[in-house]
Amino acid sequence: MKTVPLGTTGRQVPNVVLGLMRIAQMDDDAVRTLVRTARDAGIDFVDHADVYGEELHGCERRFAEAMQLTSSQREELTIQSKAGIVPDGPYFDYSYDHLVSSVEGSLEALGTDYLDVLLLHRPDALVEPDEVARAFDHLESSGKVRAFGVSNHTPGQIELLKKSVRQPLVANQVQLSITHAPLVAQGVAANMAGLDQSAVRDGGGLLDYCRLHDITVQAWSPFQAGFFTGVFLGSEEYPELNAVIDRLAAKYDVPAIAIATAWITRHPAGMQVVLGTTTPERVAGAAQGSDVPLTRAEWYELFRAAGYTVP
Ligand SMILES: NC(=O)c1ccc[n+]([C@@H]2O[C@H](COP(=O)([O-])OP(=O)(O)OC[C@H]3O[C@@H](n4cnc5c(N)ncnc54)[C@H](OP(=O)(O)O)[C@@H]3O)[C@@H](O)[C@H]2O)c1
């Protein structure tokens, strides 16, 4: 498993991560098998959020109850969670009270004393950076959170937070797959009149901003065609893309899912792919995409086959 730097923490982390948003209904054995398969493949980084599951902290609790981690097993893992979404609404809340109580709920559900990484889940239009800073200072000084980051944030929103927040923001988790790639597609077609792909949808240069500031980009929904619309792998809606994926899978002797993973890991930004599958074989297959050396021609062929324009 290839590793990448986690922001400016000095830590190396795997470039494929196990997302646990969909484990609410899995029994103990199934959760253990999923996590064991990931660990065997070199994935020692799990992604949670307070809102995953049918009730608050549901997936965090399911994970902890199934795994029953000893303290040394817990220390071997990087556990990341998120706060800031209030599902009963929904709305967003980056207030001191909400962030601190959300983290305390995560720690209780996970049965651990600390989160390795806390991400602010989705930008709160009513954000007050001083309050976020106060929450981060408390969470850091009390040992409850070791590193901080964001998710779905634009460069401007990150700059605003940085006005008050002292801690480095080490990650930005954003939606990215071959078929949902405005992060990279806009840049290659900037300033092209009349081309939808040229429209700025990421707040302006999100990917370049993260690279410039050593913020690790984490790609969520790496196999979804759109916003939870189903996967493009094997989909009749993407015959050309699947033909290219299958040809490259045969060339590199890996499953198709590894090629879809490699399209993200091949990018020189050093991104992490956040898997959401609950199927162990798919986790093992995706992990094989950690270090597939797609050529530039192959990477762009996948991009074009997904429907993007290379002007
Ligand atoms: N920060 C954010 O705003 C945000 C938003 C959404 C998600 N996330 C994180 O990102 C992770 C991944 O998101 P995701 O679950 O939407 O991404 P995904 O890995 O692209 O999609 C996984 C889903 O697709 C299904 N699937 C069907 N055919 C598949 C195939 N051939 N290969 C792989 N999966 C297939 C899986 O079913 P099976 O389980 O049956 O395999 C699962 O339901 C989540 O677990 C969460 O940690 C973050």
Side-chain angles (χ1 to χ4, degrees):
M1 172 74 43
K2 188 177 167 187
T3 61
V4 293
L6 178 64
T8 52
T9 59
R11 290 184 50 200
Q12 288 290 124
V13 286
N15 68 353
V16 181
V17 168
L18 187 65
L20 294 168
M21 180 180 76
R22 301 180 187 268
I23 64 165
Q25 300 305 325
M26 292 169 70
D27 65 25
D28 290 357
D29 277 349
V31 173
R32 283 191 215 115
T33 304
L34 183 70
V35 176
R36 170 54 47 208
T37 305
R39 294 297 312 271
D40 288 347
I43 300 171
D44 58 7
F45 190 122
V46 295
D47 182 66
H48 280 286
D50 55 356
V51 291
Y52 293 165
E54 275 140 37
E55 57 198 38
L56 268 184
H57 304 291
C59 288
E60 293 172 325
R61 197 175 303 284
R62 186 79 290 276
F63 170 78
E65 284 174 358
M67 297 305 297
Q68 298 290 328
L69 296 173
T70 64
S71 55
S72 64
Q73 288 169 333
R74 190 270 169 262
E75 278 167 32
E76 286 166 18
L77 279 181
T78 298
I79 301 183
Q80 171 172 280
S81 194
K82 315 187 194 75
I85 296 181
V86 180
D88 191 10
Y91 63 95
F92 306 120
D93 189 347
Y94 283 6
S95 66
Y96 175 91
D97 287 347
H98 179 79
L99 294 177
V100 170
S101 72
S102 164
V103 169
E104 286 170 351
S106 291
L107 296 179
E108 190 273 321
L110 286 163
T112 183
D113 297 334
Y114 66 95
L115 294 179
D116 293 280
V117 189
L118 172 72
L119 304 184
L120 297 176
H121 205 155
R122 271 206 179 267
D124 175 10
L126 304 181
V127 62
E128 297 189 50
D130 288 347
E131 234 185 302
V132 175
R134 200 157 61 83
F136 281 12
D137 283 347
H138 167 73
L139 292 168
E140 184 183 53
S141 63
S142 57
K144 290 174 181 163
V145 175
R146 296 192 171 172
F148 298 87
V150 295
S151 176
N152 307 305
H153 278 57
T154 67
Q157 290 161 340
I158 295 171
E159 285 292 316
L160 180 62
L161 288 168
K162 280 165 68 171
K163 207 172 157 224
S164 303
V165 166
R166 281 185 314 109
Q167 295 79 5
L169 298 172
V170 302
N172 190 7
Q173 189 175 114
V174 289
Q175 185 175 5
L176 178 66
S177 71
I178 312 178
T179 54
H180 179 99
L183 286 188
V184 291
Q186 193 273 327
V188 301
N191 200 32
M192 300 282 293
L195 190 62
D196 183 64
Q197 184 180 318
S198 305
V200 175
R201 301 187 197 281
D202 64 357
L206 187 156
L207 186 53
D208 294 335
Y209 175 89
C210 289
R211 292 181 76 178
L212 278 166
H213 294 270
D214 296 317
I215 296 172
T216 303
V217 172
Q218 301 179 339
W220 60 264
S221 285
F223 314 120
Q224 296 289 318
F227 187 58
F228 304 133
T229 51
V231 296
F232 57 80
L233 287 167
S235 164
E236 289 174 0
E237 287 176 39
Y238 294 91
E240 197 188 335
L241 175 60
N242 279 293
V244 179
I245 288 174
D246 290 346
R247 197 188 77 235
L248 294 175
K251 172 183 167 183
Y252 288 104
D253 193 22
V254 294
I257 194 171
I259 298 299
T261 302
W263 188 79
I264 300 169
T265 57
R266 166 65 178 84
H267 193 283
M271 301 189 228
Q272 291 179 293
V273 176
V274 189
L275 308 177
T277 178
T278 56
T279 308
E281 303 76 56
R282 288 176 175 158
V283 170
Q288 290 183 60
S290 166
D291 206 9
V292 172
L294 293 175
T295 65
R296 267 197 166 72
E298 290 165 348
W299 189 92
Y300 275 105
E301 185 183 10
L302 288 162
F303 180 68
R304 292 193 313 271
Y308 285 108
T309 298
V310 176

